Short mmCIF file of all heavy atoms in Angstrom, two decimals:
data_model
loop_
_atom_site.label_atom_id
_atom_site.label_comp_id
_atom_site.label_asym_id
_atom_site.label_seq_id
_atom_site.Cartn_x
_atom_site.Cartn_y
_atom_site.Cartn_z
N MET A 306 -42.90 -3.27 1.66
CA MET A 306 -42.33 -2.00 1.26
C MET A 306 -41.17 -2.17 0.27
O MET A 306 -40.96 -1.33 -0.60
CB MET A 306 -41.84 -1.23 2.49
CG MET A 306 -42.94 -0.94 3.49
SD MET A 306 -44.34 -0.07 2.74
CE MET A 306 -43.54 1.43 2.23
N GLU A 307 -40.41 -3.23 0.41
CA GLU A 307 -39.28 -3.44 -0.51
C GLU A 307 -39.77 -3.64 -1.94
O GLU A 307 -39.25 -3.03 -2.88
CB GLU A 307 -38.47 -4.65 -0.05
CG GLU A 307 -37.23 -4.90 -0.88
CD GLU A 307 -36.41 -6.06 -0.37
OE1 GLU A 307 -36.77 -6.63 0.69
OE2 GLU A 307 -35.40 -6.41 -1.03
N LYS A 308 -40.79 -4.47 -2.10
CA LYS A 308 -41.32 -4.69 -3.44
C LYS A 308 -42.01 -3.44 -3.96
O LYS A 308 -41.94 -3.12 -5.16
CB LYS A 308 -42.30 -5.86 -3.40
CG LYS A 308 -42.31 -6.71 -4.66
CD LYS A 308 -43.03 -8.01 -4.43
CE LYS A 308 -42.84 -8.93 -5.63
NZ LYS A 308 -43.55 -10.23 -5.43
N SER A 309 -42.67 -2.73 -3.07
CA SER A 309 -43.32 -1.49 -3.47
C SER A 309 -42.30 -0.49 -4.00
O SER A 309 -42.53 0.18 -5.02
CB SER A 309 -44.08 -0.90 -2.28
OG SER A 309 -44.59 0.38 -2.59
N LEU A 310 -41.16 -0.40 -3.30
CA LEU A 310 -40.11 0.53 -3.73
C LEU A 310 -39.54 0.13 -5.09
O LEU A 310 -39.26 0.98 -5.94
CB LEU A 310 -39.00 0.59 -2.68
CG LEU A 310 -37.82 1.51 -2.99
CD1 LEU A 310 -38.27 2.95 -3.18
CD2 LEU A 310 -36.77 1.42 -1.88
N GLN A 311 -39.43 -1.16 -5.33
CA GLN A 311 -38.90 -1.62 -6.62
C GLN A 311 -39.82 -1.20 -7.77
O GLN A 311 -39.36 -0.68 -8.79
CB GLN A 311 -38.74 -3.14 -6.58
CG GLN A 311 -37.65 -3.62 -5.64
CD GLN A 311 -37.60 -5.13 -5.55
OE1 GLN A 311 -38.43 -5.83 -6.14
NE2 GLN A 311 -36.64 -5.65 -4.80
N PHE A 312 -41.13 -1.44 -7.60
CA PHE A 312 -42.05 -1.06 -8.67
C PHE A 312 -42.14 0.45 -8.81
O PHE A 312 -42.29 0.98 -9.92
CB PHE A 312 -43.44 -1.65 -8.39
CG PHE A 312 -43.57 -3.09 -8.78
CD1 PHE A 312 -43.60 -4.09 -7.83
CD2 PHE A 312 -43.65 -3.46 -10.11
CE1 PHE A 312 -43.72 -5.43 -8.18
CE2 PHE A 312 -43.77 -4.78 -10.49
CZ PHE A 312 -43.80 -5.77 -9.52
N GLU A 313 -42.01 1.17 -7.69
CA GLU A 313 -42.07 2.62 -7.76
C GLU A 313 -40.86 3.17 -8.50
O GLU A 313 -40.95 4.15 -9.25
CB GLU A 313 -42.12 3.20 -6.35
CG GLU A 313 -42.63 4.63 -6.27
CD GLU A 313 -44.11 4.73 -6.62
OE1 GLU A 313 -44.93 4.06 -5.96
OE2 GLU A 313 -44.42 5.47 -7.56
N LEU A 314 -39.69 2.55 -8.30
CA LEU A 314 -38.49 2.97 -9.02
C LEU A 314 -38.64 2.74 -10.53
O LEU A 314 -38.22 3.56 -11.34
CB LEU A 314 -37.26 2.22 -8.49
CG LEU A 314 -36.72 2.69 -7.14
CD1 LEU A 314 -35.67 1.72 -6.63
CD2 LEU A 314 -36.12 4.08 -7.27
N ILE A 315 -39.24 1.60 -10.89
CA ILE A 315 -39.47 1.34 -12.32
C ILE A 315 -40.40 2.38 -12.90
O ILE A 315 -40.18 2.92 -14.00
CB ILE A 315 -40.04 -0.08 -12.51
CG1 ILE A 315 -39.02 -1.13 -12.03
CG2 ILE A 315 -40.39 -0.32 -13.97
CD1 ILE A 315 -39.56 -2.54 -12.03
N ALA A 316 -41.46 2.71 -12.16
CA ALA A 316 -42.40 3.73 -12.64
C ALA A 316 -41.71 5.08 -12.78
O ALA A 316 -41.96 5.82 -13.75
CB ALA A 316 -43.57 3.82 -11.66
N ALA A 317 -40.84 5.41 -11.84
CA ALA A 317 -40.13 6.69 -11.92
C ALA A 317 -39.18 6.71 -13.11
O ALA A 317 -39.00 7.75 -13.76
CB ALA A 317 -39.38 6.94 -10.62
N HIS A 318 -38.53 5.60 -13.40
CA HIS A 318 -37.65 5.54 -14.57
C HIS A 318 -38.43 5.72 -15.87
O HIS A 318 -37.93 6.32 -16.83
CB HIS A 318 -36.91 4.20 -14.60
CG HIS A 318 -35.67 4.19 -13.76
ND1 HIS A 318 -34.52 4.85 -14.11
CD2 HIS A 318 -35.42 3.61 -12.57
CE1 HIS A 318 -33.60 4.67 -13.19
NE2 HIS A 318 -34.12 3.93 -12.23
N LEU A 319 -39.66 5.19 -15.89
CA LEU A 319 -40.48 5.33 -17.09
C LEU A 319 -41.10 6.71 -17.20
O LEU A 319 -41.50 7.14 -18.28
CB LEU A 319 -41.58 4.26 -17.09
CG LEU A 319 -41.09 2.81 -17.18
CD1 LEU A 319 -42.24 1.85 -17.03
CD2 LEU A 319 -40.36 2.57 -18.50
N ASN A 320 -41.18 7.41 -16.07
CA ASN A 320 -41.71 8.78 -16.07
C ASN A 320 -40.74 9.67 -15.28
O ASN A 320 -41.03 10.11 -14.17
CB ASN A 320 -43.11 8.80 -15.44
CG ASN A 320 -43.75 10.17 -15.55
OD1 ASN A 320 -43.47 10.93 -16.49
ND2 ASN A 320 -44.61 10.49 -14.60
N PRO A 321 -39.52 9.89 -15.83
CA PRO A 321 -38.45 10.52 -15.04
C PRO A 321 -38.65 11.99 -14.75
O PRO A 321 -37.97 12.55 -13.91
CB PRO A 321 -37.21 10.30 -15.92
CG PRO A 321 -37.73 10.24 -17.31
CD PRO A 321 -39.08 9.59 -17.21
N SER A 322 -39.55 12.64 -15.40
CA SER A 322 -39.70 14.09 -15.19
C SER A 322 -40.49 14.43 -13.94
O SER A 322 -40.61 15.61 -13.60
CB SER A 322 -40.38 14.70 -16.42
OG SER A 322 -41.66 14.12 -16.61
N ASP A 323 -41.02 13.45 -13.25
CA ASP A 323 -41.79 13.70 -12.04
C ASP A 323 -40.83 13.83 -10.86
O ASP A 323 -40.43 12.85 -10.23
CB ASP A 323 -42.78 12.54 -11.81
CG ASP A 323 -43.78 12.86 -10.71
OD1 ASP A 323 -43.61 13.90 -10.04
OD2 ASP A 323 -44.72 12.06 -10.52
N THR A 324 -40.42 15.06 -10.54
CA THR A 324 -39.42 15.28 -9.48
C THR A 324 -39.96 14.91 -8.12
O THR A 324 -39.21 14.38 -7.27
CB THR A 324 -38.98 16.75 -9.50
OG1 THR A 324 -40.12 17.59 -9.35
CG2 THR A 324 -38.27 17.09 -10.79
N GLU A 325 -41.23 15.20 -7.85
CA GLU A 325 -41.80 14.87 -6.55
C GLU A 325 -41.74 13.37 -6.29
O GLU A 325 -41.53 12.92 -5.17
CB GLU A 325 -43.24 15.37 -6.47
CG GLU A 325 -43.37 16.88 -6.47
CD GLU A 325 -42.71 17.50 -5.24
OE1 GLU A 325 -42.68 16.84 -4.19
OE2 GLU A 325 -42.23 18.64 -5.35
N GLU A 326 -41.95 12.60 -7.35
CA GLU A 326 -41.89 11.15 -7.21
C GLU A 326 -40.47 10.70 -6.85
O GLU A 326 -40.27 9.82 -6.00
CB GLU A 326 -42.34 10.48 -8.51
CG GLU A 326 -42.37 8.96 -8.45
CD GLU A 326 -43.45 8.45 -7.49
OE1 GLU A 326 -44.36 9.21 -7.13
OE2 GLU A 326 -43.34 7.27 -7.09
N TRP A 327 -39.47 11.32 -7.46
CA TRP A 327 -38.08 10.98 -7.12
C TRP A 327 -37.76 11.33 -5.67
O TRP A 327 -37.06 10.58 -4.98
CB TRP A 327 -37.12 11.71 -8.06
CG TRP A 327 -37.02 11.13 -9.43
CD1 TRP A 327 -37.39 11.70 -10.60
CD2 TRP A 327 -36.50 9.83 -9.78
NE1 TRP A 327 -37.15 10.86 -11.66
CE2 TRP A 327 -36.59 9.69 -11.18
CE3 TRP A 327 -35.99 8.77 -9.04
CZ2 TRP A 327 -36.18 8.56 -11.86
CZ3 TRP A 327 -35.57 7.62 -9.71
CH2 TRP A 327 -35.67 7.53 -11.09
N VAL A 328 -38.25 12.45 -5.21
CA VAL A 328 -38.00 12.85 -3.82
C VAL A 328 -38.67 11.86 -2.87
O VAL A 328 -38.10 11.47 -1.84
CB VAL A 328 -38.51 14.27 -3.58
CG1 VAL A 328 -38.41 14.65 -2.11
CG2 VAL A 328 -37.71 15.26 -4.42
N ARG A 329 -39.92 11.45 -3.20
CA ARG A 329 -40.59 10.47 -2.34
C ARG A 329 -39.84 9.14 -2.32
O ARG A 329 -39.72 8.49 -1.28
CB ARG A 329 -42.03 10.26 -2.85
CG ARG A 329 -42.94 9.54 -1.87
CD ARG A 329 -44.35 9.51 -2.39
NE ARG A 329 -44.50 8.61 -3.52
CZ ARG A 329 -44.71 7.30 -3.41
NH1 ARG A 329 -44.80 6.74 -2.21
NH2 ARG A 329 -44.83 6.55 -4.47
#
Side-chain angles (χ1 to χ4, degrees):
M306 301 305 298
E307 183 177 356
K308 214 166 189 180
S309 173
L310 179 60
Q311 292 175 356
F312 280 106
E313 199 69 57
L314 284 170
I315 297 174
H318 275 287
L319 295 174
N320 186 29
S322 60
D323 190 352
T324 56
E325 293 297 330
E326 183 67 18
W327 284 115
V328 174
R329 194 174 71 85

